[in-house]
Amino acid sequence: SWTILQLVEALGFCLENTDPRTRGRGIQLLSQVLLECHSLLQEKEVLHLVLFYENRLQDHHLVIPSVLQGLRALSLCEVLAPGLAVSVLKAIFQEVHVQSLLQQDRYTVYSIITNFMATREEELKGLGADFTFGFIQVMDGEKDPRNLMVAFQIVRDLIVKNYALGPFVEELFEVTSCYFPIDFTPPPNDPHGIQREDLILSLRAVLASTPQFAEFLLPLLIEKMDSDLQSAKLDSLQTLTACCAIYGQKELQEFLPSLWSSLRREVFQTASEKVEAECLSALHALSACLSRSVLSSDAEDRLDSFLSSILQDCRHHLCEPDMKLVWPSAKLLQAAASASLRSYHRLTHSILPLLLEQYNKHSQSSQRRTILEMLLGFLELQQKWGHVEEDESALLSLQETVCSVVFSALTDPSVQLQLVGIRALTVLGSLQGFLSPSDLELVVDHLVRLALHEEDSQSSEAAMEAAGSLAPVYPKVFSGRMVPRLGEELQSGRTDSLAKGLISGIGRCLQALAAVSTHTSIVRETVPVLLQHLRNAGNAQELVSVCQSLHRVALQCQQDAEGCWYYHQTVVPCLLAMAVQASSHPLVSKALLEEEVLTAMVPVISAATTHLSPELAAQSVSHVVPLFLDGEVSFLPQNSFPCAFQPFEVCGVLPTGIMVVVIPQQERLLRELLALSCSCSCPFTATTASKCFAGLVNKHPAGQQLDEILQLAVNRMEPGLTEGPHRTQALILLLWVTKALVLRYHPLSSHLTDKLLGLLSDVELGPTAADGFSLLMAESPDVLHKGCHADVRIMFRQRFFTDNVPKLVQGFHGAGADVKANYLKSLSHVLNHLPKPVLVTELPTLLSLLLEALSCSDRVVQLSTLSCLQPLLLEAPQIMSLHIDTLVTKFLSLTSSPAMAVRIAALRCAHALTSLPTIVLLPYKARVIRALAKPLDDKKRLVRKEAVAARGEWFLVGSPGR
């Protein structure tokens, strides 16, 4: 191995050659070696090399790039002697005209400076303002985005790390602000990946890094706000917002009138929501900045004078009869008021009385709604600041008037005004101490009236939601006043004269009881009422409605351990008892045994169980499993059940009650479920048993016991699939067990999937097996999802796709004409549930099959394929463009499908076609526009809506500026 001294001696001829090119090559080789082994150099070697390279900076311009590379290598040396970093930078500042170099060489200079700033900060600070001035000379005139990214970071470090700027503050500002606002479009296929947004953020970090720039920057921002370019406006406003985080009253005071004038003008006149939003953010930031300023006793309160200007320019617009500038003015006032509690109090003392006066002055509901929405904005700000302070709050002094206005809105015939009133009521209720006891009683009365008797469903739903929000704040009022009222309505069955049928009357009572159950003390009142109604319900629809309400209560209880356990202890035994009772007396409780009722019970028990602690869940399971295995009913309420009770007749409510912990008698339970799923004559019971079995298998620990159970299941399924009266039940069991194993990556899953693939060619079971692929890929709503603690591995869909789609494609090509549709349907289901980025990569090989699937007569295949193709048109336009003729033909044909869902999906795909390159679309424009005229007269409104959107977009194809 050579020492660096030996290398220099060996290169002596080149380094001392009179030809600059030869000298350059010699220094280049030396620099490359140094870049590789700089960490191995000794301090003395580094000293001599630095002196050599500094001297070479005076050499011919052809040599300079190689010299800079060598200095970059030396700047990385940890053994660099004190003073050498300063010496190198002084030499570069004096000897090198940086902006005359190529981009890469300029980048090398910036890298040297960056390296020294990272490791020799104190030495460089010893240079004082000379270092800042030297860097200004280096950067001045830089144009390359790659170099600017580094240069902006250096400037920011100069400021943030407190390097001396001396008299060069303005020069440093000028050398960076000349790039503002950034106007840069990256070239296509740019390998460096620098985007315009990267440069904008880097420059903004510099400009907003010090208050010393304020006197130069703020006039520049005001000038650019007046620009015709929206990008310049946005950049200026965002930069102003960033600056307010570090500025104080001193920096802003001179420019406040001009800034306010520009912001006001933009909000009043702009047609851009983005510009308006940034103006409001900037105004908020300005007010917050002034609010932070600490006042001396003799100083003027700039916040007060600034807010006075805002009031002066906005207040009168709130009183104008035509109300043209009401919303812009309100937004400006709310943006300023949201900055601090001080600014909120200052503005609301003037604005709230005015808004209340205007509300009472106007009689039209539309005008009142506008005013109340503005009032609501200020109320929500009070909510942000929390408790109402008696001595400062304008709101508290206007309590009676505010409540009167809100209550009047709740009784107005206008639904839209009612909705705003309900939102305002919710906000007022959340303000601690604002509503008096009598007001609270009135609030409850209004909410009950709106929830039960208001004809419009929007108001009714909003009132229920408001009750749910306020109930945890005032649990005693709602449990003592609202719940009894709802119970009476439910008991008597009274309905408003306008209400019609169950959903408008009793159904609303049930929904309201569920909505208000957001506090444990209220749950203890509402659950008995719901259960009593469940016992007395006379038909299946009523039973389902009660179960839906109980499910909502369960979801609302899940985060509260006490409420969750009470609910579980009360509701689950009652439901199980009713199910057992129904199975014992099917003629008496016939409605309870209907599939839709049992299906509605399942999520109630699931929601009550999944959030229990492991100890409580184990306790629950210890009761439930013996019930189903042995008919053990001692834990059930009213347990006077006949001996003829058959436990597994009520397995419809079993699936989710046993999904949490280790199950007692698990092997026996699995065997019983397996037998039931294969041999039961009731399809619903067999399917439910299959789900239970799959749920248990999915979480069963790996080992011999699981292998034996699975082998037993395979031995039961295979004969059942071959022949006999229960082929469909065996297929359902196969699907659910396959899903359970696919989710957990069990080795047997591939064998079972192959079984399913083989059944696609079966004339009888093929269509059901094809639909089963949707079950395998989709999220299951009741079992085998993470919410019920299933074992779900990441990317199981991608793995299933990789393993089985080639087999599906191969099977399709080898299948007979009568079963090809089954393979297409299976493929369509798999692709439709696959993450789109994965699908795009496989698209070229599968697109021909997807297009063929559109010709299939099966509507499920058509709908699934269209749903798959629509996002692909947006995400892979280049690939889809190759098949434009086929796509246009197929989509237009399907817009006349008998199925409404297919027509809608086809029109959405026709709409998505407009994202393809214009040159590809133009030959088809006239044809598509003519064809889309027909669905404009479709009998279904949703179809007409999609047709209008699609046809309108096709009219714009090829138009300027599109």
Side-chain angles (χ1 to χ4, degrees):
S1 61
W2 287 29
T3 65
I4 199 69
L5 178 60
Q6 290 171 324
L7 177 61
V8 172
E9 289 175 348
L11 290 172
F13 170 76
C14 294
L15 299 178
E16 296 174 354
N17 198 289
T18 56
D19 180 15
R21 288 180 177 78
T22 304
R23 291 200 304 278
R25 284 196 291 271
I27 295 175
Q28 182 182 13
L29 177 58
L30 178 60
S31 297
Q32 288 173 342
V33 172
L34 291 176
L35 282 168
E36 293 295 327
C37 65
H38 60 82
S39 60
L40 304 175
L41 296 176
Q42 302 298 318
E43 183 176 339
K44 198 168 183 181
E45 292 173 331
V46 172
L47 173 60
H48 291 299
L49 287 167
V50 166
L51 295 174
F52 167 74
Y53 274 105
E54 282 182 10
N55 181 264
R56 291 300 92 198
L57 286 173
Q58 301 172 19
D59 206 332
H60 194 278
H61 67 88
L62 293 175
V63 178
I64 299 301
S66 301
V67 174
L68 292 172
Q69 286 293 343
L71 288 172
R72 183 165 76 90
L74 294 171
S75 71
L76 296 168
C77 292
E78 295 181 7
V79 295
L80 194 72
L84 289 182
V86 170
S87 175
V88 169
L89 289 180
K90 279 185 174 180
I92 291 175
F93 294 159
Q94 290 171 9
E95 305 296 342
V96 183
H97 185 248
V98 176
Q99 289 306 316
S100 66
L101 301 174
L102 296 175
Q103 179 273 328
Q104 186 176 357
D105 302 325
R106 301 199 304 276
Y107 188 88
T108 302
V109 175
Y110 295 126
S111 298
I112 294 169
I113 296 172
T114 301
N115 293 339
F116 283 145
M117 289 180 73
T119 59
R120 310 285 163 168
E121 183 178 328
E122 293 305 319
E123 290 182 39
L124 300 190
K125 285 181 177 178
L127 273 172
D130 289 345
F131 176 56
T132 303
F133 179 68
F135 176 72
I136 291 171
Q137 288 181 304
V138 167
M139 182 183 173
D140 193 10
E142 181 59 66
K143 294 180 180 178
D144 191 277
R146 293 164 288 182
N147 293 348
L148 285 173
M149 290 292 291
V150 185
F152 288 156
Q153 184 60 48
I154 292 173
V155 178
R156 188 171 187 280
D157 287 343
L158 281 173
I159 296 166
V160 172
K161 295 181 179 179
N162 296 315
Y163 283 79
L165 304 185
F168 303 115
V169 174
E170 185 172 2
E171 285 76 7
L172 188 62
F173 172 78
E174 292 293 342
V175 83
T176 50
S177 65
C178 63
Y179 302 101
F180 183 85
I182 294 288
D183 182 18
F184 167 67
T185 304
N189 304 318
D190 179 21
H192 307 289
I194 296 176
Q195 300 297 315
R196 178 171 174 271
E197 190 66 21
D198 299 326
L199 288 166
I200 288 174
L201 294 175
S202 295
L203 178 56
R204 186 177 301 151
V206 173
L207 298 177
S209 61
T210 175
Q212 296 180 72
F213 284 168
E215 60 179 305
F216 315 114
L217 177 59
L218 291 174
L220 175 63
L221 295 180
I222 293 169
E223 177 192 337
K224 298 302 180 184
M225 279 187 221
D226 299 337
S227 168
D228 294 331
L229 289 173
Q230 180 173 310
S231 59
K233 290 179 187 288
L234 291 172
D235 203 353
S236 301
L237 291 164
Q238 290 165 355
T239 304
L240 175 60
T241 302
C243 289
C244 287
I246 63 162
Y247 285 4
Q249 180 173 298
K250 175 185 171 186
E251 286 77 26
L252 291 172
Q253 59 184 3
E254 181 185 345
F255 304 99
L256 284 174
S258 300
L259 287 168
W260 163 239
S261 176
S262 296
L263 294 173
R264 181 192 63 214
R265 184 186 64 252
E266 289 300 330
V267 173
F268 280 170
Q269 298 178 5
T270 186
S272 167
E273 291 184 8
K274 287 183 180 179
V275 172
E276 181 187 88
E278 292 301 338
C279 283
L280 297 176
S281 295
L283 181 58
H284 173 93
L286 281 170
S287 302
C289 178
L290 295 173
S291 300
R292 288 194 302 268
S293 300
V294 179
L295 301 175
S296 57
S297 57
D298 58 344
E300 180 186 354
D301 186 352
R302 290 290 174 185
L303 175 65
D304 189 68
S305 57
F306 183 62
L307 296 177
S308 296
S309 300
I310 297 175
L311 278 170
Q312 182 180 345
D313 290 337
C314 294
R315 195 176 189 276
H316 64 278
H317 290 304
L318 303 180
C319 308
E320 292 174 355
D322 56 4
M323 304 181 80
K324 281 184 179 178
L325 293 175
V326 160
W327 268 120
S329 300
K331 287 177 182 177
L332 287 166
L333 288 164
Q334 288 170 7
S338 65
S340 68
L341 188 57
R342 191 153 64 100
S343 60
Y344 175 78
H345 285 316
R346 173 68 179 86
L347 290 174
T348 52
H349 269 288
S350 174
I351 295 301
L352 289 185
L354 179 65
L355 289 176
L356 294 169
E357 178 189 332
Q358 290 298 308
Y359 181 91
N360 292 318
K361 183 178 175 183
H362 289 86
S363 57
Q364 291 185 14
S365 296
S366 59
Q367 294 174 322
R368 284 189 158 195
R369 187 190 74 188
T370 301
I371 295 167
L372 188 56
E373 283 182 333
M374 289 188 287
L375 181 64
L376 176 61
F378 286 101
L379 294 178
E380 287 171 339
L381 292 179
Q382 177 69 64
Q383 189 181 29
K384 170 185 173 182
W385 300 118
H387 185 64
V388 182
E389 296 289 342
E390 291 186 26
D391 56 341
E392 292 186 18
S393 175
L395 187 59
L396 204 59
S397 62
L398 299 167
Q399 177 187 5
E400 187 176 336
T401 314
V402 171
C403 289
S404 172
V405 163
V406 173
F407 291 150
S408 74
L410 298 177
T411 56
D412 194 274
S414 167
V415 173
Q416 297 305 316
L417 182 53
Q418 285 179 12
L419 293 174
V420 180
I422 291 169
R423 287 164 54 202
L425 191 67
T426 307
V427 174
L428 289 179
S430 68
L431 299 177
Q432 187 180 357
F434 185 80
L435 295 175
S436 65
S438 59
D439 287 334
L440 284 171
E441 292 182 358
L442 200 52
V443 166
V444 171
D445 292 343
H446 278 298
L447 291 177
V448 170
R449 176 183 58 80
L450 289 167
L452 299 186
H453 305 302
E454 180 56 47
E455 184 178 8
D456 188 89
S457 61
Q458 282 182 285
S459 295
S460 175
E461 290 168 8
M464 293 180 197
E465 188 177 339
S469 299
L470 294 176
V473 186
Y474 309 102
K476 289 184 179 179
V477 177
F478 277 84
S479 61
R481 191 171 181 87
M482 187 170 189
V483 175
R485 285 274 304 277
L486 293 173
E488 290 168 11
E489 290 278 349
L490 200 59
Q491 189 68 27
S492 64
R494 289 198 306 268
T495 58
D496 189 270
S497 58
L498 293 173
K500 298 178 182 178
L502 176 69
I503 298 304
S504 297
I506 296 174
R508 279 196 180 179
C509 280
L510 294 171
Q511 292 170 8
L513 280 167
V516 78
S517 303
T518 50
H519 188 273
T520 303
S521 64
I522 301 175
V523 171
R524 291 178 180 273
E525 302 289 334
T526 56
V527 163
V529 175
L530 290 170
L531 291 178
Q532 184 60 40
H533 191 74
L534 186 68
R535 296 187 189 99
N536 299 334
N539 57 57
Q541 187 183 3
E542 214 170 333
L543 287 166
V544 170
S545 296
V546 180
C547 286
Q548 289 171 344
S549 293
L550 285 169
H551 182 230
R552 180 172 178 178
V553 176
L555 294 176
Q556 291 166 179
C557 286
Q558 284 181 343
Q559 304 308 317
D560 174 46
E562 181 189 349
C564 191
W565 180 237
Y566 166 78
Y567 182 92
H568 187 275
Q569 287 287 79
T570 309
V571 175
V572 174
C574 179
L575 291 180
L576 293 174
M578 291 181 68
V580 170
Q581 189 75 34
S583 70
S584 307
H585 301 92
L587 295 178
V588 178
S589 308
K590 184 179 178 182
L592 265 172
L593 295 179
E594 292 188 23
E595 287 185 17
E596 62 174 325
V597 177
L598 290 174
T599 303
M601 281 187 178
V602 169
V604 178
I605 298 177
S606 173
T609 307
T610 51
H611 283 69
L612 289 178
S613 66
E615 296 78 16
L616 295 177
Q619 182 181 335
S620 175
V621 167
S622 68
H623 292 307
V624 174
V625 173
L627 167 67
F628 287 99
L629 287 177
D630 306 312
E632 173 55 56
V633 296
S634 60
F635 76 100
L636 295 179
Q638 306 168 354
N639 59 352
S640 55
F641 303 110
C643 298
F645 164 54
Q646 296 295 318
F648 274 92
E649 287 183 9
V650 292
C651 81
V653 293
L654 178 62
T656 51
I658 53 177
M659 295 297 175
V660 186
V661 292
V662 175
I663 310 297
Q665 307 182 66
Q666 186 165 9
E667 187 174 353
R668 180 188 165 199
L669 180 61
L670 284 166
R671 290 177 183 273
E672 295 281 5
L673 287 169
L674 182 59
L676 192 65
S677 62
C678 289
S679 58
C680 182
S681 58
C682 172
F684 177 75
T685 304
T687 300
T688 307
S690 298
K691 289 183 181 181
C692 293
F693 183 81
L696 291 170
V697 163
N698 173 260
K699 287 180 290 187
H700 197 295
Q704 183 180 353
Q705 189 179 9
L706 176 62
D707 295 340
E708 290 175 358
I709 286 292
L710 290 175
Q711 188 58 51
L712 182 63
V714 171
N715 294 341
R716 290 293 296 267
M717 283 188 289
E718 286 183 341
L721 289 168
T722 306
E723 58 185 3
H726 300 301
R727 292 188 75 199
T728 303
Q729 283 95 321
L731 175 57
I732 297 299
L733 177 62
L734 174 62
L735 285 168
W736 280 104
V737 174
T738 304
K739 182 176 178 70
L741 300 183
V742 164
L743 291 178
R744 64 179 284 179
Y745 290 174
H746 193 279
L748 186 62
S749 63
S750 59
H751 171 70
L752 297 182
T753 307
D754 289 341
K755 286 273 183 193
L756 278 175
L757 291 170
L759 288 172
L760 292 175
S761 58
D762 186 291
V763 176
E764 180 187 351
L765 296 182
T768 307
D771 284 329
F773 279 82
S774 176
L775 186 150
L776 294 181
M777 298 294 284
E779 187 79 18
S780 176
D782 45 6
V783 293
L784 296 179
H785 60 87
K786 289 186 177 179
C788 65
H789 313 285
D791 183 359
V792 181
R793 304 296 175 89
I794 61 171
M795 297 195 293
F796 76 90
R797 292 184 179 88
Q798 289 89 320
R799 179 169 177 169
F800 187 88
F801 170 85
T802 304
D803 291 345
N804 296 294
V805 165
K807 299 176 186 176
L808 275 172
V809 174
Q810 183 181 354
F812 170 80
H813 290 304
D818 56 336
V819 294
K820 276 186 180 289
N822 296 336
Y823 288 91
L824 288 175
K825 185 187 288 189
S826 304
L827 179 66
S828 180
H829 284 316
V830 172
L831 298 182
N832 201 28
H833 291 93
L834 196 67
K836 292 303 175 279
V838 179
L839 183 53
V840 168
T841 60
E842 302 291 336
L843 190 58
T845 57
L846 297 172
L847 189 54
S848 58
L849 277 178
L850 283 172
L851 295 176
E852 190 163 346
L854 290 177
S855 302
C856 180
S857 59
D858 191 308
R859 292 176 188 174
V860 176
V861 177
Q862 293 172 352
L863 188 59
S864 180
T865 307
L866 289 168
S867 301
C868 183
L869 286 172
Q870 185 193 351
L872 294 176
L873 288 165
L874 304 173
E875 295 175 26
Q878 298 305 322
I879 300 172
M880 303 300 278
S881 298
L882 302 175
H883 301 268
I884 180 67
D885 190 70
T886 308
L887 289 168
V888 168
T889 303
K890 301 283 188 186
F891 293 160
L892 294 182
S893 170
L894 290 173
T895 58
S896 302
S897 168
M900 183 183 79
V902 174
R903 296 201 300 278
I904 290 174
L907 287 166
R908 286 175 178 168
C909 286
H911 189 168
L913 279 174
T914 58
S915 64
L916 302 185
T918 301
I919 193 170
V920 175
L921 299 175
L922 284 174
Y924 300 91
K925 179 177 177 179
R927 173 187 169 191
V928 174
I929 289 173
R930 280 197 307 272
L932 292 181
K934 182 182 177 183
L936 291 177
D937 293 326
D938 196 279
K939 60 184 178 181
K940 295 294 185 180
R941 181 184 62 83
L942 294 176
V943 177
R944 297 196 299 272
K945 178 183 174 184
E946 295 296 339
V948 168
R951 197 164 186 255
E953 202 63 34
W954 271 93
F955 268 114
L956 296 175
V957 168
S959 59
R962 184 179 180 273

